[in-house]
Amino acid sequence: MTSLRTIRGFAFDLDGTIWAGPGLLPGAAELVADLREAGVPVVFATNSSRYGSPAIAAALARLGIPAEPREVVAAFDLTADEVLGLMGPVPVLALGTDDLAGSLARAGHTLLPPDRWGEARAVVVGNDPAFDYGRLRAASRAVAAGATFFAVNLDARFPVSDGFDPGCGALAEAVATAARVRPIVVGKPHPKLFEEAVARLGCPAGSAAMVGDSQASDIVGGRAAGMFTVWVAPGEDVPALVEPDLAVDDLVELRRLWLDAGASCAR
Ligand SMILES: [Mg+2]
């Protein structure tokens, strides 16, 4: 097994790995601080579809993990450019937060209200706190009529302090079902976010670790990107989709293993 001490950079998923709802998970702040102190770069690789990297970095800092926006790689931030790269600036019907609409507008796209779905060249679905039947109808009609369909991610859920909230994927699947069209997915497990994370870590993919709680997003995608995969599985009893390079109960255990690996290197 690749020793943890040969890893030159760590990419951490956020929801269910670094935090759950309003609080950090055990060991997160300590592990990130230790890695940084040892000169090992850290990025946060998140499927967030509600907020972009500046808001996420500020949230991390508030909770006790100082972070710069450039240390956060969010599917949110990649989405507007993905649409731009494939289509140029286009009229977009977006289901999502005001932040998502702002990000699309800043990239040069024109945002349409739901009642103008017929003018949409692209439909973008993020996690939409205002999701309702009218928005589902508008988005699915636009996609069925030929608008290109993008989902920020296909995560069914994200963990919060008292359980889970429906994820962007739950809403995107509703649109996909009604429109009978599959979306182009921007976030994990698709390669773009991992490639960006590895580029920001500044080391080869094989020397970079992807640490996350979702087998389908973090482990499958991290493996495909050539990264060392660490599955954080607090008591999960689910069949493995792909064997991770390392499985830990939480970041307390990962920190202990990383410190032990360092001690054995020093001997
Ligand atoms: Mg997660």
Side-chain angles (χ1 to χ4, degrees):
M1 189 188 86
T2 303
S3 162
L4 279 173
R5 277 287 170 151
T6 67
I7 298 298
R8 291 284 158 259
F10 281 77
F12 291 95
D13 168 56
L14 287 174
D15 288 316
T17 301
I18 291 286
W19 61 30
L24 293 181
L25 288 164
E30 295 82 355
L31 175 57
V32 169
D34 284 351
L35 290 169
R36 285 171 165 169
E37 193 170 321
V40 178
V42 168
V43 296
F44 304 95
T46 170
N47 264 354
S48 170
S49 65
R50 285 192 178 188
Y51 306 109
S53 49
I56 294 166
L60 280 163
R62 270 198 306 279
L63 291 172
I65 298 181
E68 299 292 328
R70 64 182 159 70
E71 294 173 299
V72 178
V73 186
F76 177 104
D77 294 316
L78 304 180
T79 300
D81 280 348
E82 179 77 10
V83 180
L84 200 61
L86 284 175
M87 310 187 71
V90 286
V92 175
L93 174 61
L95 305 192
T97 56
D98 291 344
D99 282 21
L100 182 64
S103 170
L104 289 161
R106 281 193 300 280
H109 305 294
T110 305
L111 275 295
L112 297 169
D115 62 356
R116 289 174 58 192
W117 63 263
E119 299 164 51
R121 296 270 321 282
V123 169
V124 174
V125 177
N127 202 307
D128 183 2
F131 189 79
D132 66 7
Y133 193 83
R135 289 161 84 83
L136 171 59
R137 177 171 51 212
S140 52
R141 285 184 179 182
V143 171
T148 305
F149 180 19
F150 297 86
V152 182
N153 68 63
L154 282 185
D155 295 348
R157 303 174 167 191
F158 61 91
V160 294
S161 56
D162 59 349
F164 71 89
D165 278 349
C168 174
L171 313 188
E173 292 292 0
V175 175
T177 300
R180 300 187 182 131
V181 175
R182 298 301 303 166
I184 296 167
V185 183
V186 178
K188 298 177 284 185
H190 294 269
K192 182 178 284 275
L193 200 140
F194 297 95
E195 290 165 3
E196 184 64 29
V198 168
R200 291 198 203 174
L201 288 171
C203 62
S207 304
M210 179 66 223
V211 183
D213 68 313
S214 166
Q215 285 195 68
S217 285
D218 302 313
I219 307 307
V220 169
R223 171 65 51 79
M227 300 171 79
F228 182 84
T229 53
V230 182
W231 186 32
V232 183
E236 282 229 27
D237 186 21
V238 293
L241 293 167
V242 57
E243 197 65 27
D245 294 298
L246 180 64
V248 294
D249 287 335
D250 55 23
L251 296 187
V252 174
E253 183 182 2
L254 180 57
R255 178 174 179 243
R256 184 175 53 73
L257 292 172
W258 184 78
L259 291 170
D260 287 352
S264 66
C265 280
R267 273 200 292 272

